[in-house]
DNA sequence: AATAGAACTTGCCAAAAGACAAGAAATGAA
DNA sequence: TTCATTTCTTGTCTTTTGGCAAGTTCTATT
């Protein structure tokens, strides 16, 4: 089994305990696909036929607002799932693009294969359901952030929980993802640094 | 079959086509439960053992911010699902309360029963997965609203898409759900009325 | 290595929303 | 029906964020 598949096996078992043989069987329906920086994994307005496990790299999803400007919806790091859920599961056109921000290594599975696994392997459908629940929880946490945190607090939260994003994701995408302009993010970052400096003296 | 179950059958078939016998079999594992205004359907910090289909009435979910103030996360109207997804499916304590804002009629199913259906009825697991995908999409839409709409635009959107909420949900809950204070919502509503008056003259 | 373009920062002013207080209106309890 | 409590609105001032421009820094291309 390839190192990428080993990573996937551990990921699967972390989310739904099952014996090694079963996890390997599930991992076996995934196939490697690599992407270069700026490649598009999933295209807006097309039905998405793949569900990706991101082994290495960073991906963002984005759509456009009414002014035609890009709006970053998700920032996805390694050991996470990349999928346009409605498009993939309901066979409808995707509402967003998914773009590689760095070179990426993924394991992907097609809808046909995932359907077969879903109906024939009890452990897989438990695992799959767990993934969907996780996606909902993550979205809900994001909503809570927007409801009750200022942009500064959302930025501080991101710095604390996902500091690696700052090294690999352009600030303009981070700003968009946080729901503010790049100008505002610059000011928040400056004040954050100044505040930390004051705390130390 | 009760009128509530008839509603549920139509709802199920709208989300995943299946023949009547199968839909009735699925609906048969749901049981009626009524709630009075202000009753709590799902309790924060407890593992939730029920998944509800809301036949009639309005429900909100809420948690608390660090100041101890209530923050309304969801507003749920009839013909929708009421469920604390992580608590129900992963058997962990709920992160929010779900409260009846009006008298409610629901059909509920326990985790044990839903598990059995999930593994024995292919149509049910397709339906169930469709529900989870819908929940994700709805959360994502809310995300997008926070990222790229002003509070005024989010309010206008809500007025357009769910006008019934204005009749049945206290404005302070609406404001919280929209991520603003009741004071700000009052001003937005006043300006909205004035703007509509200007358009007509 | 040089240059063009993109990303990021800073300056200045405006708009949106919050905080707090006070008052009006609506609702619930007695 | 009356009164207490809650909800909602309005006033005033503050804070947060946006818009736009200009400049600096970084990255990509030649």
């Amino acid at each position: 089994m390839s190192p990428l598949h080993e990573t996937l096996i551990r990921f699967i078992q972390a989310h739904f305990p099952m014996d090694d043989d079963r996890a390997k069987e599930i991992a076996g329906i995934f196939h490697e696909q690599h992407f270069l920086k700026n490649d598009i994994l999933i295209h807006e307005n097309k039905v998405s036929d793949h569900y990706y496990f991101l082994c290495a790299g960073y991906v963002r999803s984005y759509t456009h607002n009414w002014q035609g400007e890009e709006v970053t919806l998700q920032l996805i790091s390694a050991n996470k799932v990349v999928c346009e859920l409605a498009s993939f599961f309901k066979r409808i056109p995707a509402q967003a693009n998914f773009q590689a921000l760095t070179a990426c290594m993924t394991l992907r599975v097609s809808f046909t294969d995932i359907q077969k696994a879903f109906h024939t392997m009890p452990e897989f459908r438990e695992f799959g359901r767990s993934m969907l629940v996780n996606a909902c929880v993550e979205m809900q946490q994001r909503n809570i952030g927007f409801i009750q945190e200022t942009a500064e607090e959302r930025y501080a939260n991101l710095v604390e929980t996902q500091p690696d994003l700052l090294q690999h994701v352009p600030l303009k995408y981070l700003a968009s993802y946080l729901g503010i302009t790049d100008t505002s993010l610059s000011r928040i970052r400056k004040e954050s640094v100044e505040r930390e400096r004051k705390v130390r003296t």
Side-chain angles (χ1 to χ4, degrees), chain A:
Chain A
M1 216 137 231
S2 81
L4 297 195
H5 283 85
E6 302 277 356
T7 305
L8 176 57
I9 287 166
R10 285 195 294 277
F11 177 78
I12 291 168
Q13 285 177 316
H15 284 87
F16 190 78
M18 64 184 79
D19 56 62
D20 283 357
D21 286 347
R22 186 63 83 194
K24 280 172 178 161
E25 188 180 354
I26 291 173
I29 66 176
F30 285 74
H31 304 291
E32 282 192 42
Q33 184 169 3
H34 293 203
F35 293 91
L36 298 176
K37 181 176 179 179
N38 297 326
D39 278 353
I40 302 290
L41 287 74
I42 295 169
H43 291 264
E44 188 171 14
N45 299 322
K46 286 180 178 169
V47 175
S48 169
D49 197 47
H50 287 101
Y51 179 103
Y52 299 87
F53 175 69
L54 185 60
C55 303
Y58 292 85
V59 169
R60 74 168 177 140
S61 70
Y62 68 94
T63 186
H64 295 84
N65 65 16
W66 60 271
Q67 291 148 308
E69 294 158 339
E70 287 181 8
V71 178
T72 297
L73 306 177
Q74 288 169 289
L75 294 173
I76 306 162
S77 46
N79 287 320
K80 291 215 178 118
V81 166
V82 176
C83 184
E84 216 280 24
L85 295 171
S87 181
F88 182 74
F89 285 111
K90 292 173 180 281
R91 322 308 297 137
I92 59 179
Q95 299 288 302
N97 297 285
F98 285 68
Q99 175 188 40
L101 298 179
T102 62
C104 292
M105 294 192 291
T106 78
L107 287 167
R108 74 177 200 189
V109 59
S110 69
F111 179 72
T112 303
D113 287 341
I114 222 171
Q115 263 310 68
K116 190 184 297 180
F118 183 65
H119 286 300
T120 57
M121 300 192 218
E123 296 88 348
F124 181 76
R125 48 183 176 259
E126 292 268 2
F127 165 73
R129 188 174 63 186
S130 181
M131 292 295 95
L132 283 172
V133 168
N134 288 350
C136 286
V137 169
E138 188 173 333
M139 299 287 188
Q140 180 77 286
Q141 286 309 120
R142 232 159 105 60
N143 280 331
I144 293 175
F146 284 122
I147 291 176
Q148 63 181 15
E149 290 171 355
T150 61
E152 181 185 331
E153 289 167 338
R154 297 201 295 278
Y155 173 71
N157 207 331
L158 187 133
V159 166
E160 180 180 331
T161 59
Q162 307 182 78
D164 54 307
L165 289 180
L166 292 161
Q167 267 88 58
H168 297 93
V169 176
L171 291 175
K172 68 178 202 178
Y173 296 149
L174 277 180
S176 176
Y177 172 77
L178 292 170
I180 57 178
T181 63
D182 54 351
T183 307
S184 295
L185 181 55
S186 270
R187 290 190 231 279
I188 286 174
R189 280 162 55 79
K190 180 184 183 184
E191 286 159 17
S192 175
V193 166
E194 286 175 354
R195 188 171 304 115
E196 284 201 7
R197 193 178 294 144
K198 274 174 183 165
V199 162
R200 284 206 197 90
T201 63

